[in-house]
Every structure is written in C-alpha cells, then in structure tokens.
Amino acid sequence: MATNTQDHSDDLSYLLTLKTIQDTLRKETTLEESLNALLKTLALDMEYVRAFMVIMDPKTENLKLSLTYSPAQSDDVTYSPGRGIIGRVFDSGQSISVPRMSDDPEFLNKAFGRSEEELRKLGFICVPVINLRSDEAEVIGALSVDVPLIPAEDMAAHRDFLEVVAGIIAGHVAQLQEEMATQNHLLSQGLMAAGADTAPPKDFVAASKAMRLVLRQSTQVAPSRATALLRGESGTGKELLAEAIHQSSPRADKPLIKLNCAALPSELIESELFGHQKGAFTGAFQTKRGLFEVADQGTLFLDEIGELSLDAQAKVLRAIQEKEIQRVGSEQTITVDVRLICATHQPLEELLEKGLFREDLYYRINVFPIFIPPLKERREDILPLAEHFLAEFTDEYGKEVKRISTPAIELLVMYHWPGNVRELKNCMERAVLLCEEQVIRTYHLPPTLQSAESSATGTNLSFGEAVAKFEQELLIDSLKKTGGNMLQSARDLRVSYRIVNYKVKKYNIDVKKYSQTKKKTKKKLEV
C-alpha cells in the first residue's frame, strides 16, 4: 500500500511540474528567458543537480550549449553528432540514461568540468528534442540533466518524464533555433553591431531557407541609401519587408511614408506624390505638400509602382536623380532627400516591352531587387506564420485558444494559398473567432481549405461517422503531442488508459508512428 501511495505522489509531482512548465511557456517573455526558466523549474522541482539544453547550429552542424540552469565553464561548448552521450542521442533520436557517469567511457564531461567525486556520485539522462512540425520528424537538440544515483526503475521514470517535457518544448526550441540561424547570417555578413538589436523584425517570420535569404538581403541593403525593388505576388508581405528595411536603416527615426499607386486614379497620383498649389486645378482650394516633401530625410514606399503613368514616372525619376520636385501648378523647385523603396507584383520587363514603363526609371529603381516567393513555394513558413497569427488574434480578441490540431495543420500545409500570407492571416482570424475551445480544428478553417475526407463535413457521413472522425482526430492529436505515450494521452483527455487503448485498436492507429523514442532521424536544417 505504501508503494502505491509513493507512486501516486511521484505522479502528482510530475504533473505539477508539467503544469508549472506550461505556465512558464505561456508568459510574455523571450524564448530564451522562458526556456531558461523551464530549466530552473526542472532542476528545483525534480531535484536535478543540473539541467541544460543543446541545440543544433545549422551553420556548423554541431550541437551548441545554448541554455543552462547551472553555470558552465565556457559559453562556447559544442558537441559533434555521434560523439559522446549527447552526440549519440542527437544522431539516433533515442534517449540514453547513464546510471553512473564515471562508469561510461563515452561520457565527455565537456561543459561543466565535473570533479571525479561528482562523476562517481551522479547519473545522467539525455533525451532528444524532436520537431514534429516539419515535413519529417527532425532532431533539433537534446535536453540533459544530472541526477543523483537512483534505482534503474526511477531512472526510467525520469527519462519518460523528460521525453514528455522535450515534446512540449520542441516548438519553442525550433523557434529559438531559427533565431540563432538568423543571427548567424547577420554576423557572417558583418551586419550586427555590438550591442545592436539583432532580432528579426517583430512580425517577420523567416523559417524557410527562401525567407532567410530575403531577410539577409534586406539587412544588406538597409544601411545604404540604395533604392530597393521588392517583387512578388500580392499578399506575400512586401509592405512588411519595406518597414523592416526602413527600421534597420539610418533613417529609422525619420518618417516612413507609404502609397499604393494602384489605389488612386492616375490624375490624382501626381498631386499626391508632389503636392499642388492652390488653384492649380478644380478642387485645389489650398496648397498641399506632396508625399516626397512629407518623407524628406526619411523613406517613401511606393507599392505597385508599375501602375504609375508615364508622366508620373518621369517626375519620380527626377526626384530620385536630381533630388528635386515641383508641385502641380508651381514652377518653384523644392529640394528633397528621400530614400525610395518600390514594390510590384507585375513583370516590369513586359511593361518595358509594351512601352508602359520607362526604361531609365526601371534601371534606376532596380538597383537592389529582392524577390519574395509565394507561400506555396515556402511551406516551411506556413505553420510558424499560422502560430504567429494565432497568438496575435487570441490576444486581440481575448480568446484562450492555445494551439492548432494536427489535422488542421495538415490542411494548412496542403493548401496552395493563392492569396499568400494575407489569405493565411484572414484564415487564422476567422478560425480564432469561430473557435470556442482551446484548439483550432479542421472545422474552424474556411471551406476552401476543407474536404469531406479530412474534416468530416461531407454530406455522405452519418452522425456516428462524423463523431468517430472527430474522436479519432482528438486521439491522434494527443498521441502526437505526447510522443505516443498512451498513458499520458489518457491523462490529457481525462479518460482511462483502457479507453484510449480500446480506441487505438478500434481506429487501427499505429502508436509507434508517433513515438519520439523510436524515431531515428537526422535531417539537416537547411539554411
């Protein structure tokens, strides 16, 4: 009886620690602060001597000591995949427990310089951190703890517990890895001054290789006064990139003025850009400053520049080259100093051939072109963007939606997104508004994303079949979250283990498919 009481006490301790960890990750702090707080919670609540995390550096393809609750001897400790305990865990995707450090010749003792006495008195547990949200399961790091000498059964229980923790934090670690990769890019280009703010722009998501290239190009052109030409389909984020370039430029404290050239009739564009004198035309009741004047010493963003008339193009060219403008109806020359950023979704080369765009202006604005690929060509960005918008709209509308279900994620990733990021943002806003629970599910997504097979909304489904599909979705989502741990899934779903086991067999679900401990992966993150 005493043994059962002790087991229940241990289970409660694990659950309370998991709840504290989840509460820590929900706080509005940086990723690094949240994960460091998590390591502290692990060490204090579970009485671990040390708790630390290594993350794969995409640039060097080595594991770097990135987070630690206990001070390390050096801040620049790395581990090679396949070497030592940590390297083997990363290479195989399987957890390793070392009952006593001194008994294992592969224990490297690199980061903390443990004494001979510590090596004799401590065990070691290392579990992989696996990102299940990429196209394939991908080991991106390892979570490790030093533990006192404990029985093998207790060691196995702590290993299982740490695997659950690793599954919970995998998404956060993946985001931190992306930030590390972006910073490495900036460092390699010499674009990060000491003490400068090196984080990507606030709303800029760059998980894919293509978008990291876009980010790198934007940081290359930002410090200069060169004209940037942003190209890409409508809705890909050209305006956001223009804001990022301006904020990283020496003109960041000056105004950023925006104009969509397609939003105004051609006869009003010149007045908007260059201003007009009182009485210059019917309706000009007073003198007005143009946007070139308003943006003086700052940046002017001209979206859809291909829509400008040829007359307006000539005046824009003069403003760029001579730094001079004239208001409509005035002969007075006004000197302006404006950095120009242009954008278009049109093929300007075709407009050149048709005589609809000036060749001299084309070469003047095409100094530094940046192409933003459509969302369908960078699917690695879909989920990070969706989660970014989820957080934005849950905060805006005061909702308690915490995540996106696995089937909903699959729909988001499979969809071709003709409206690009703008369409995805609208999709997530709609889903948050519709959602009355804590998880975005397939039926919260727009009908354009759904199919009868994936969302159980087909007219041929009976009520029982629709309920069964929903039940199956919940179970798969939970198993993926817990790494195939049916006992943990039963706790999360608030049912008995027997029911979960029965449903797994009923729906012929392969639990091993979701098991983090049995997956052997080594997929390199492309940078």
Side-chain angles (χ1 to χ4, degrees):
M1 192 71 177
T3 302
N4 290 337
T5 302
Q6 181 63 43
D7 289 342
H8 289 311
S9 175
D10 290 342
D11 287 344
L12 181 60
S13 176
Y14 290 140
L15 290 173
L16 289 175
T17 301
L18 285 176
K19 184 179 184 305
T20 304
I21 287 172
Q22 289 177 326
D23 291 342
T24 299
L25 295 176
R26 291 193 191 106
K27 292 180 180 178
E28 294 185 1
T29 57
T30 65
L31 284 172
E32 190 168 349
E33 289 172 340
S34 295
L35 292 172
N36 269 322
L38 176 146
L39 293 176
K40 180 178 180 180
T41 297
L42 279 178
L44 296 180
D45 287 12
M46 305 308 297
E47 298 182 354
Y48 297 142
V49 178
R50 291 182 183 88
F52 62 97
M53 193 180 306
V54 298
I55 301 176
M56 196 272 282
D57 182 351
K59 182 179 179 182
T60 63
E61 298 185 6
N62 284 327
L63 295 157
K64 183 177 181 181
L65 179 63
S66 302
L67 301 161
T68 176
Y69 170 60
S70 306
Q73 281 193 332
S74 172
D75 294 330
D76 195 27
V77 178
T78 59
Y79 300 84
S80 300
R83 294 193 58 195
I85 303 299
I86 293 176
R88 282 172 51 201
V89 168
F90 178 81
D91 208 29
S92 67
Q94 292 183 312
S95 302
I96 294 179
S97 300
V98 177
R100 189 194 305 268
M101 295 179 183
S102 60
D103 293 344
D104 195 318
E106 290 197 47
F107 188 79
L108 299 179
N109 192 25
K110 293 180 70 172
F112 301 98
R114 302 169 184 84
S115 66
E116 292 296 329
E117 183 179 3
E118 279 189 299
L119 293 175
R120 289 192 298 270
K121 291 184 176 181
L122 295 177
F124 185 71
I125 303 173
C126 181
V127 301
V129 178
I130 302 177
N131 182 18
L132 295 175
R133 294 180 176 181
S134 56
D135 292 339
E136 298 178 20
E138 174 188 8
V139 182
I140 56 176
L143 172 64
S144 305
V145 297
D146 290 10
V147 297
L149 299 183
I150 54 178
E153 184 177 339
D154 291 345
M155 182 77 84
H158 281 279
R159 181 198 63 211
D160 292 343
F161 166 72
L162 289 170
E163 287 172 353
V164 173
V165 173
I168 293 173
I169 66 175
H172 297 78
V173 176
Q175 291 180 46
L176 184 60
Q177 185 188 49
E178 291 162 13
E179 290 185 4
M180 290 168 54
T182 300
Q183 291 179 10
N184 285 341
H185 274 313
L186 299 181
L187 281 169
S188 66
Q189 296 296 328
L191 296 169
M192 285 168 50
D197 182 9
T198 59
K202 179 183 176 183
D203 296 321
F204 198 94
V205 175
S208 65
K209 180 181 178 181
M211 286 307 290
R212 286 176 183 166
L213 174 61
V214 168
L215 179 61
R216 184 166 76 244
Q217 289 175 329
S218 71
T219 53
Q220 287 173 327
V221 73
S224 71
R225 61 167 290 112
T227 302
L229 178 61
L230 313 183
R231 309 192 65 165
E233 294 180 5
S234 179
T236 51
K238 297 187 289 294
E239 183 175 337
L240 184 63
L241 185 60
E243 293 175 359
I245 293 173
H246 172 73
Q247 291 301 325
S248 300
S249 75
R251 299 171 182 249
D253 58 340
K254 303 298 182 182
L256 168 64
I257 307 300
K258 307 172 188 177
L259 175 66
N260 187 327
C261 300
L264 292 174
S266 58
E267 59 269 18
L268 295 181
I269 283 288
E270 290 188 38
S271 171
E272 194 70 20
L273 284 173
F274 309 109
H276 60 255
Q277 289 296 112
K278 180 179 179 181
F281 51 84
T282 303
F285 299 113
Q286 59 184 7
T287 298
K288 175 186 175 181
R289 297 170 68 207
L291 296 184
F292 268 96
E293 287 183 75
V294 176
D296 189 32
Q297 303 300 315
T299 304
L300 178 60
F301 173 56
L302 297 182
D303 198 3
E304 299 302 345
I305 193 169
E307 299 290 340
L308 284 179
S309 67
L310 291 173
D311 287 342
Q313 291 175 32
K315 293 183 179 181
V316 168
L317 179 63
R318 182 188 179 194
I320 299 173
Q321 292 187 158
E322 307 299 332
K323 298 184 180 181
E324 293 179 349
I325 63 167
Q326 285 182 328
R327 292 175 182 166
V328 176
S330 172
E331 296 181 357
Q332 181 183 359
T333 298
I334 301 173
T335 301
V336 292
D337 178 13
V338 174
R339 198 268 180 86
L340 198 64
I341 301 176
C342 303
T344 182
H345 78 281
Q346 299 188 67
L348 294 183
E349 294 77 11
E350 292 183 11
L351 297 182
L352 279 175
E353 293 179 3
K354 296 176 182 178
L356 299 176
F357 202 86
R358 293 178 61 101
E359 187 175 2
D360 47 5
L361 179 60
Y362 170 76
Y363 290 116
R364 190 62 185 81
I365 66 174
N366 200 37
V367 176
F368 199 101
I370 301 177
F371 176 72
I372 307 178
L375 192 55
K376 64 185 178 183
E377 294 181 8
R378 48 184 176 101
R379 295 191 179 276
E380 304 96 314
D381 290 323
I382 293 175
L383 183 55
L385 280 166
E387 291 181 330
H388 170 78
F389 294 136
L390 174 65
E392 177 182 324
F393 291 122
T394 51
D395 181 61
E396 179 177 346
Y397 295 119
K399 294 270 192 167
E400 293 294 328
V401 186
K402 299 208 170 21
R403 60 188 178 87
I404 308 170
S405 72
T406 299
I409 289 173
E410 291 172 353
L411 284 184
L412 292 171
V413 173
M414 288 190 298
Y415 185 58
H416 60 290
W417 298 109
N420 292 298
V421 179
R422 184 182 294 119
E423 183 182 7
L424 175 58
K425 183 176 182 179
N426 294 340
C427 168
M428 293 308 300
E429 182 173 15
R430 176 187 187 275
V432 170
L433 288 171
L434 289 176
C435 187
E436 297 296 337
E437 46 189 309
Q438 294 189 337
V439 182
I440 297 290
R441 305 201 183 277
T442 54
Y443 47 80
H444 296 130
L445 301 177
T448 50
L449 272 69
Q450 301 185 45
S451 67
E453 180 179 342
S454 60
S455 60
T457 58
T459 56
N460 292 330
L461 286 178
S462 67
F463 177 76
E465 289 171 332
V467 170
K469 277 195 172 289
F470 178 63
E471 192 174 59
Q472 186 176 358
E473 176 184 322
L474 285 175
L475 186 54
I476 290 175
D477 194 26
S478 178
L479 287 170
K480 192 163 186 180
K481 175 186 171 186
T482 62
N485 188 326
M486 291 196 295
L487 181 59
Q488 185 61 44
S489 290
R491 291 168 178 164
D492 291 347
L493 296 172
R494 300 177 189 175
V495 296
S496 68
Y497 175 83
R498 182 183 61 80
I499 290 178
V500 169
N501 188 46
Y502 168 73
K503 297 294 184 182
V504 164
K505 292 178 180 178
K506 176 182 176 181
Y507 298 125
N508 196 26
I509 297 173
D510 183 6
V511 176
K512 293 181 180 179
K513 178 180 177 183
Y514 306 101
S515 174
Q516 296 178 2
T517 59
K518 295 191 180 224
K519 284 182 176 174
K520 298 182 179 181
T521 58
K522 185 185 178 183
K523 180 184 176 186
K524 297 177 183 178
L525 181 67
E526 293 181 325
V527 180

